[in-house]
């Protein structure tokens, strides 16, 4: 498996990516590009509309007596509190807008802080009741603010798929790691990195001959890198792993980049971790990248267990008509059993029975040896599997066949979000690194589900599962659940 590239900058680690777009796009003259300022202004405006609009509506309803307990005097107070805490919690920081769960987490943090202050002010507001504002108005503000940011993010990602709103990047490092980063930027367009030039530390005969690497022009030596950045107006200088990058060399490069339009992004290749586990702090006058241990126990995990049970129960209640209709359709199709049971491996390598709606003909397991596997690694996948029934194809298209796994979640063998539950024979080939997938409960959905599902290679599937194990948080779970809805509706990678 290739060593992952891990950025230590404010940009998302896993998301070193954007599609290659036509050259000649307009660049800003300073550290922040023009489209970034406009996007930030749009985010601030959407937050203000959500906060002020909901507060004003609630105040009007309270004034008219439509909803009891909504005293209109609290409306301006709650609006001011939220609009103060949004910048205080850095929810408008331009570097984290448009990608990753951190943006949503900061909005939630700002809303929670406003709720705490409002609760503390409650005893001093005499007979004014703050509970309807905390339990009704603030959650509504939060929902609308997050929804607006999500819609803005979708617009941004769509623009980036067409080559707009991109950050021009120059990458420097070893030829192999430079080529890998370029490939990632072409696979993942949502982050907005567009590599426009490369500077190689070591010599690559083919690159030297062609004057390019992976279709990107190779520019001069490292000593000339800062001059190229000044002339080219690059937004990011990405440094990929190589033994050449000593602390002295990196410090000198950072000094040379001062006053340019670029920020320095360094890939330490420590491990593919990000988010709250990574912190940079000074130790004895030296900057240190500190990585805390992943959280496999504790209060967060307890909340996840409770949320899993409650969420699974509510989902079963809501989807029971769909399950019933699917069961009837399966029975009418060929008269076979409705459910399909399969042994899977859960946390710590224990085996459990996973439930699914049957989507294949009876006896399909015996036909497997007669079919050619189209997937790499230990997975067995066929895009047009002849064993799938007509009803089964529809159920798979919308992931309806996965709904009985909600019973597994209720029973505690699975989680709503987690790594993909592997087959027993699949785990026999696991090495020590891949076995880390078994440190947490498998999930009905996960990063693999919202990133392409069956279209993913084995290597990418493992990388995403390991990233989830290492960087798990309640916020990440919430984002994955939100994205799962879109993945199911689109049907991408479902077969």
């Amino acid at each position: 498996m290739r060593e992952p590239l891990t950025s230590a900058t404010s940009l998302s680690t896993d998301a070193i990516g954007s599609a290659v777009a036509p050259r000649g796009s307009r660049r800003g003259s300073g550290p922040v590009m023009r489209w970034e300022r406009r996007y930030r202004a749009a985010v601030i405006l959407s937050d203000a509309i959500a906060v002020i609009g909901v507060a004003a509506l609630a105040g009007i309803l309270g004034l008219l007596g439509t909803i009891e307990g909504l005293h209109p005097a609290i409306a301006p107070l709650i609006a001011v509190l939220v609009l103060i805490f949004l910048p205080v919690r850095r929810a408008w920081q331009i570097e984290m807008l448009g990608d990753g769960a951190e943006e949503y987490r900061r909005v939630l943090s700002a809303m929670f802080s406003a709720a705490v202050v409002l609760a503390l002010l409650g005893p001093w507001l005499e007979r004014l009741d703050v509970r309807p504002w905390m339990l009704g108005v603030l959650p509504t503000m939060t929902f609308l603010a997050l929804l607006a940011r999500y819609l803005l993010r979708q617009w941004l990602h769509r623009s980036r798929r067409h080559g707009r709103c991109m950050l021009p990047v120059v990458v420097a490092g070893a030829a192999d790691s430079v080529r890998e980063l370029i490939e990632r930027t072409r696979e993942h367009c949502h982050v907005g990195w567009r590599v426009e030039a490369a500077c190689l530390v070591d010599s690559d005969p083919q690159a030297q001959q062609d004057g390019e690497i992976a279709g990107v022009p190779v520019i001069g030596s490292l000593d000339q890198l800062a001059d190229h950045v000044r002339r080219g107006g690059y937004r990011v200088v990405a440094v990929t792993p190589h033994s050449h990058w000593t602390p002295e060399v990196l410090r000198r490069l950072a000094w040379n980049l001062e006053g340019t339009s670029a920020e320095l992004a360094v890939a330490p290749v420590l491990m593919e971790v990000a988010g709250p586990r990574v912190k940079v702090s000074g130790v004895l006058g030296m900057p240190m990248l500190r990585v805390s241990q992943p959280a496999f126990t504790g209060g967060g995990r307890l909340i996840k267990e409770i949320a899993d049970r409650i969420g699974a129960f509510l989902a079963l209640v809501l989807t029971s008509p769909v399950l019933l209709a699917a069961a009837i359709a399966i029975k009418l199709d060929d008269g076979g059993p409705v459910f399909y049971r399969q042994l899977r491996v859960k946390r710590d390598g224990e085996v459990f029975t996973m439930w699914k709606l049957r989507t294949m003909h009876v006896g399909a397991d015996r036909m497997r040896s007669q079919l050619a596997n189209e997937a790499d690694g230990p997975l067995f996948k066929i895009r047009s599997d002849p064993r799938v029934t007509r009803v089964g194809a529809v159920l798979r298209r919308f992931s309806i066949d996965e709904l009985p796994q909600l019973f597994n979640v209720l029973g505690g063998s699975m989680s709503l979000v987690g790594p993909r539950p592997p087959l027993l024979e699949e785990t026999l080939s696991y090495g020590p690194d891949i076995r880390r997938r078994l440190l947490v409960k498998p999930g009905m959905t996960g990063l693999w589900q919202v990133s392409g599902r069956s279209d993913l290679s084995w290597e990418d599937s493992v990388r995403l599962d390991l990233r989830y194990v290492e960087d798990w948080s309640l916020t990440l779970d919430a984002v994955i659940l939100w994205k799962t809805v879109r993945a199911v509706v689109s049907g991408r990678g479902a077969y």
Side-chain angles (χ1 to χ4, degrees):
M1 184 184 301
R2 295 180 297 182
E3 195 76 336
L5 292 169
T6 308
S7 172
T9 66
S10 58
L11 293 173
S12 173
T13 28
D14 186 58
I16 300 178
S18 71
V20 171
R23 302 187 184 280
S25 60
R26 180 176 297 177
R27 301 175 185 158
S29 58
V32 178
M33 299 178 67
R34 184 178 302 174
W35 69 261
E36 289 179 289
R37 291 192 292 268
R38 291 176 176 174
Y39 185 79
R40 181 173 182 264
V43 170
I44 295 174
L45 180 61
S46 68
D47 286 347
I49 291 174
V51 171
I52 297 175
V54 171
L57 178 61
I60 292 172
L61 293 177
L63 185 63
L64 297 176
T66 306
I67 300 179
E68 186 178 354
L70 286 179
H71 198 288
I74 300 182
L77 173 62
I78 196 171
V80 169
L81 283 176
V82 172
L83 292 177
I84 287 176
F85 276 107
L86 282 170
V88 167
R89 294 299 184 185
R90 298 185 298 168
W92 294 340
Q93 188 177 10
I94 199 166
E95 291 82 6
M96 39 70 65
L97 296 179
D99 184 69
E102 180 64 15
E103 177 182 0
Y104 300 133
R105 189 195 68 79
R106 292 188 185 183
V107 173
L108 293 173
S109 176
M111 296 295 184
F112 178 77
S113 299
V116 170
V117 172
L118 188 63
L120 293 175
L121 292 176
W124 285 273
L125 295 177
E126 298 180 353
R127 291 175 295 177
L128 303 183
D129 189 1
V130 300
R131 288 175 298 177
W133 295 89
M134 291 176 55
L135 302 178
V137 176
L138 261 177
T140 304
M141 285 181 181
T142 304
F143 172 77
L144 291 180
L146 292 176
L147 178 60
R149 285 182 179 237
Y150 173 78
L151 294 176
L152 284 172
R153 179 178 294 193
Q154 296 309 302
W155 172 86
L156 179 63
H157 292 177
R158 184 166 56 252
S159 297
R160 286 173 170 173
R161 285 195 292 271
H162 292 87
R164 301 187 298 271
C165 300
M166 309 293 279
L167 299 175
V169 178
V170 58
V171 57
D176 289 342
S177 58
V178 166
R179 184 178 290 105
E180 180 182 357
L181 188 144
I182 294 172
E183 291 172 353
R184 288 197 185 187
T185 61
R186 293 170 176 171
E187 292 173 1
H188 307 284
C189 63
H190 60 281
V191 174
W193 279 25
R194 179 175 63 218
V195 179
E196 296 188 350
C199 183
L200 302 183
V201 175
D202 52 359
S203 59
D204 184 297
Q206 189 64 42
Q208 296 293 339
Q209 178 181 346
D210 299 339
E212 62 179 34
I213 180 170
V216 173
V218 175
I219 58 178
S221 64
L222 291 177
D223 295 335
Q224 303 170 325
L225 180 57
D227 293 333
H228 283 290
V229 171
R230 287 188 176 87
R231 289 195 300 267
Y234 300 104
R235 180 65 170 76
V236 179
V237 176
V239 174
T240 63
H242 193 275
S243 58
H244 171 82
W245 299 117
T246 63
E248 292 79 12
V249 173
L250 283 175
R251 184 168 59 247
R252 193 181 314 116
L253 176 59
W255 289 345
N256 292 336
L257 291 175
E258 290 179 0
T260 70
S261 61
E263 61 178 340
L264 182 63
V266 182
V269 196
L270 177 63
M271 60 181 71
E272 195 151 347
V273 293
R277 290 188 56 207
V278 178
K279 291 180 175 60
V280 179
S281 61
V283 179
L284 299 176
M286 296 183 298
M288 300 291 289
L289 186 67
R290 310 182 75 159
V291 182
S292 60
Q293 295 188 12
F296 301 127
T297 58
R301 287 290 176 181
L302 178 60
I303 295 175
K304 179 179 173 69
E305 291 282 345
I306 296 173
D308 280 340
R309 301 301 204 285
I310 296 175
F313 175 77
L314 294 177
L316 278 172
V317 172
L318 295 174
T319 61
S320 55
V322 178
L323 275 169
L324 179 60
I328 294 174
I330 293 171
K331 203 67 178 177
L332 294 177
D333 188 35
D334 60 7
V338 171
F339 294 103
Y340 174 74
R341 294 175 296 172
Q342 192 175 45
L343 292 179
R344 296 285 181 124
V345 179
K346 60 179 180 178
R347 183 176 180 178
D348 298 327
E350 298 180 5
V351 179
F352 73 103
T353 300
M354 189 180 76
W355 290 80
K356 298 180 68 175
L357 291 175
R358 184 175 60 86
T359 58
M360 293 186 176
H361 295 288
V362 177
D365 289 339
R366 296 190 295 271
M367 300 171 57
R368 176 172 169 173
S369 59
Q370 306 171 15
L371 302 172
N373 186 15
E374 296 178 0
D376 59 347
L379 294 177
F380 185 87
K381 281 287 183 181
I382 301 176
R383 186 171 294 273
S384 299
D385 198 324
R387 300 173 298 170
V388 177
T389 64
R390 291 175 300 174
V391 172
V394 177
L395 298 181
R396 289 189 171 204
R397 169 67 174 76
F398 297 102
S399 299
I400 298 174
D401 60 316
E402 311 283 351
L403 290 179
Q405 291 169 32
L406 291 169
F407 291 106
N408 290 115
V409 177
L410 274 177
S413 56
M414 289 182 66
S415 175
L416 290 177
V417 182
R420 183 185 59 82
L423 294 166
L424 180 59
E425 58 267 26
E426 180 184 322
T427 61
L428 298 178
S429 62
Y430 281 5
D433 52 346
I434 305 180
R435 289 196 69 83
R436 289 186 64 81
R437 301 168 80 186
L438 307 180
L439 290 175
V440 298
K441 287 183 181 181
M444 290 184 62
T445 185
L447 284 175
W448 52 274
Q449 175 90 348
V450 299
S451 303
R453 301 159 82 179
S454 297
D455 288 339
L456 293 174
S457 66
W458 166 250
E459 180 178 325
D460 286 339
S461 175
V462 169
R463 178 176 59 83
L464 290 170
D465 279 346
L466 291 181
R467 181 196 165 191
Y468 176 82
V469 172
E470 300 291 346
D471 298 338
W472 171 85
S473 69
L474 291 171
T475 306
L476 180 59
D477 275 7
V479 172
I480 291 173
L481 287 172
W482 175 263
K483 289 186 175 182
T484 297
V485 177
R486 185 179 61 184
V488 169
V489 171
S490 67
R492 179 190 170 200
Y495 57 86

